[in-house]
């Protein structure tokens, strides 16, 4: 029998993000054992704390660890539960977990799976330097700043690199848990768990859920001025030269500093601001896709649709049908 550890972190966490995967994995464990007529389940599953003391979240919910890091000399899979709130404080409160995770990986070759902002604890180990990693879209900018040696894959709900798995955020971790169930128990058990839980199978992107608010968690004030200028004038024809001149930089220095500060080129930033504006219009107005396109500064229908799908994973029309209440209702009754 293999051993699976689900971390019960100190500090702030959303209790559902621990209990949900725990329950799904228990369901899969039982189904897999019964379906294959096994004498024992595939995994022994523990909720692992720093010690055996119950951990209370949000002053309301208490989780009782079933084991602790001092008792567990060997585990095969560690699910690194999300942390939330002040991430610096949360990382500091869970430093012993970071060291234990690193030890289990190096000595016992344990596989690792981080959920949502649990990626910060994973990255603290140094084990994903040079590797791919995913986390919640709201934490992308901070993650890039703190861990520049990690290859952040911002659009992914599911990321895998050399036995280290990571996921996007919030309740997409349930889709990620289905992925882990398929990885360890097989596709039949994963599909069964998907149907019983009524969770969409094979959803891999978080692009359509991302709300682009600009990447301003940096200290380059001239670039912040340039970002704000783009955000106020996105519907106009913008050029690198014109934006650079606004902040008294030559084009070459502007391009270099903008990319360093935001992880985007100015063109990519303009695209993302425009597409975010398009999403808002598609959600809240009765404008057609073409009217929205012209309103945000695009004149080429093909280019607009291609760029929209690049950043959201769906077409403008699909997005409008899904998120605009009036459009969706009209389609249902037609």
């Amino acid at each position: 029998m293999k051993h699976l550890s689900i971390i019960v972190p100190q500090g702030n966490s959303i209790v559902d993000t621990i209990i949900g995967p725990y329950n799904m994995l228990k369901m899969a464990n039982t189904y897999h054992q019964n379906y294959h007529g096994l004498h024992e389940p595939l995994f022994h599953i523990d909720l692992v704390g720093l010690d055996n003391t119950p951990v209370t979240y949000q002053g309301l919910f208490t989780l009782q660890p079933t084991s602790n890091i001092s008792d567990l000399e060997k585990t095969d899979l560690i699910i690194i539960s999300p942390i939330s709130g002040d991430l610096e404080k949360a990382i500091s409160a869970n430093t012993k977990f970071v060291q234990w995770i690193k030890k289990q990986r190096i000595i016992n070759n344990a596989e690792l799976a981080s959920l949502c902002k649990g990626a910060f604890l994973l990255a603290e180990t140094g084990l994903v330097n040079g590797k791919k990693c995913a986390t919640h879209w709201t934490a992308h900018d901070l993650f890039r700043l703190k861990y520049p040696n990690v290859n952040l894959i911002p659009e992914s709900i599911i990321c895998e690199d050399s036995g280290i798995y990571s996921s996007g955020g919030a309740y997409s971790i349930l889709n990620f848990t289905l992925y882990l169930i398929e990885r360890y128990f097989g596709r039949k058990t994963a599909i069964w768990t998907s149907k019983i839980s009524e969770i969409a199978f094979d959803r891999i992107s978080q692009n359509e859920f991302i709300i682009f608010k600009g990447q301003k968690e940096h200290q380059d004030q001239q670039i912040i001025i340039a970002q704000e200028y783009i955000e106020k004038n996105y519907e106009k024809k913008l050029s690198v030269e014109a934006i650079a001149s606004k902040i008294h930089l030559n084009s070459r220095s502007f391009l270099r500093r903008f990319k360093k500060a935001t992880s985007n080129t100015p063109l990519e930033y303009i695209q993302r601001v425009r597409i975010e504006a398009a999403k808002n219009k598609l959600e809240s107005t009765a404008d057609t896709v073409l009217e929205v396109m012209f309103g945000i500064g695009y004149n080429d229908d093909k280019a607009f649709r291609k760029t929209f799908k690049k950043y959201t994973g769906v077409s403008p029309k699909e997005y409008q049908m899904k998120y605009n209440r009036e459009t969706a209702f009209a389609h249902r009754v037609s």
Side-chain angles (χ1 to χ4, degrees):
M1 188 189 303
K2 295 182 178 181
H3 188 271
L4 191 162
S5 299
I6 301 176
I7 283 179
V8 180
Q10 296 290 311
N12 292 319
S13 188
I14 301 170
V15 70
D16 310 31
T17 60
I18 302 171
I19 294 174
Y22 174 77
N23 284 334
M24 287 176 66
L25 286 159
K26 281 192 69 177
M27 289 165 57
N29 218 20
T30 301
Y31 175 82
H32 181 270
Q33 181 184 0
N34 293 338
Y35 180 78
H36 292 283
L38 303 176
H39 295 297
E40 61 183 18
L42 181 62
F43 281 106
H44 175 81
I45 304 173
D46 270 318
L47 293 173
V48 179
L50 290 180
D51 52 40
N52 291 325
T53 305
V55 180
T56 300
Y57 297 114
Q58 299 141 43
L60 296 170
F61 308 104
T62 299
L63 281 182
Q64 173 64 61
T66 58
S67 189
N68 67 74
I69 58 174
S70 298
D71 292 339
L72 283 174
E73 294 185 5
K74 183 180 186 301
T75 191
D76 298 287
L77 172 63
I78 302 172
I79 293 182
I80 306 169
S81 304
I83 53 177
S84 64
D86 187 322
L87 294 180
E88 294 293 349
K89 288 183 179 179
I91 290 167
S92 177
N94 290 283
T95 300
K96 290 182 180 179
F97 271 130
V98 172
Q99 298 306 317
W100 180 75
I101 292 164
K102 188 173 182 179
K103 176 183 175 182
Q104 290 295 326
R105 176 67 176 177
I106 293 171
I107 296 176
N108 297 321
N109 199 32
E111 296 201 327
L112 311 176
S114 69
L115 307 180
C116 192
K117 294 176 187 175
F120 282 77
L121 296 182
L122 173 61
E124 284 290 316
T125 67
L127 294 169
V128 283
N129 286 346
K131 292 184 170 66
K132 294 183 290 186
C133 188
T135 190
H136 196 288
W137 61 264
T138 59
H140 286 168
D141 295 345
L142 178 60
F143 192 90
R144 286 190 184 98
L145 287 173
K146 283 184 65 63
Y147 310 110
N149 295 323
V150 179
N151 180 17
L152 178 67
I153 310 296
E155 70 276 8
S156 292
I157 283 175
I158 296 167
C159 194
E160 176 183 353
D161 196 328
S162 307
I164 300 179
Y165 309 89
S166 52
S167 73
Y171 292 101
S172 71
I173 63 171
L174 301 180
N175 303 94
F176 178 64
T177 304
L178 283 176
Y179 173 82
L180 292 178
I181 289 169
E182 181 178 9
R183 167 70 177 78
Y184 289 97
F185 295 93
R187 191 167 182 86
K188 184 172 183 61
T189 299
I191 292 173
W192 178 86
T193 308
S194 169
K195 290 180 177 180
I196 293 296
S197 305
E198 298 192 24
I199 297 168
F201 199 68
D202 285 341
R203 186 164 73 82
I204 60 173
S205 174
Q206 60 178 323
N207 271 356
E208 70 177 276
F209 304 109
I210 293 173
I211 301 171
F212 185 68
K213 295 184 176 179
Q215 297 137 323
K216 298 189 179 77
E217 293 188 14
H218 58 82
Q219 304 302 315
D220 194 327
Q221 293 303 312
Q222 283 180 286
I223 297 303
I224 288 176
I225 292 171
Q227 290 173 268
E228 291 173 345
Y229 178 79
I230 291 170
E231 290 160 12
K232 291 175 182 176
N233 298 278
Y234 64 84
E235 75 282 0
K236 300 176 183 177
K237 187 174 182 179
L238 298 173
S239 68
V240 168
E241 293 77 13
I243 300 169
S245 70
K246 291 284 183 184
I247 56 172
H248 311 295
L249 289 176
N250 62 53
S251 296
R252 186 173 179 180
S253 294
F254 171 64
L255 285 168
R256 176 180 54 80
R257 285 171 58 175
F258 197 97
K259 177 73 172 180
K260 181 180 180 182
T262 69
S263 299
N264 284 141
T265 65
L267 174 59
E268 289 169 338
Y269 198 87
I270 292 167
Q271 288 177 337
R272 296 190 71 174
V273 170
R274 284 176 171 170
I275 296 306
E276 193 61 34
K279 286 162 60 181
N280 289 332
K281 289 177 183 292
L282 290 169
E283 291 168 11
S284 59
T285 73
D287 291 354
T288 66
V289 170
L290 286 179
E291 287 171 334
V292 168
M293 179 190 79
F294 291 128
I296 63 166
Y298 274 92
N299 295 308
D300 185 328
D301 178 55
K302 184 177 179 181
F304 169 63
R305 293 175 190 276
K306 182 178 179 181
T307 304
F308 192 94
K309 191 160 189 177
K310 172 185 175 182
Y311 289 111
T312 68
V314 295
S315 72
K317 191 63 179 176
E318 288 171 327
Y319 189 89
Q320 187 178 49
M321 292 293 295
K322 191 169 186 177
Y323 292 105
N324 186 299
R325 181 180 178 185
E326 299 303 324
T327 303
F329 179 76
H331 178 74
R332 283 197 297 269
V333 299
S334 63

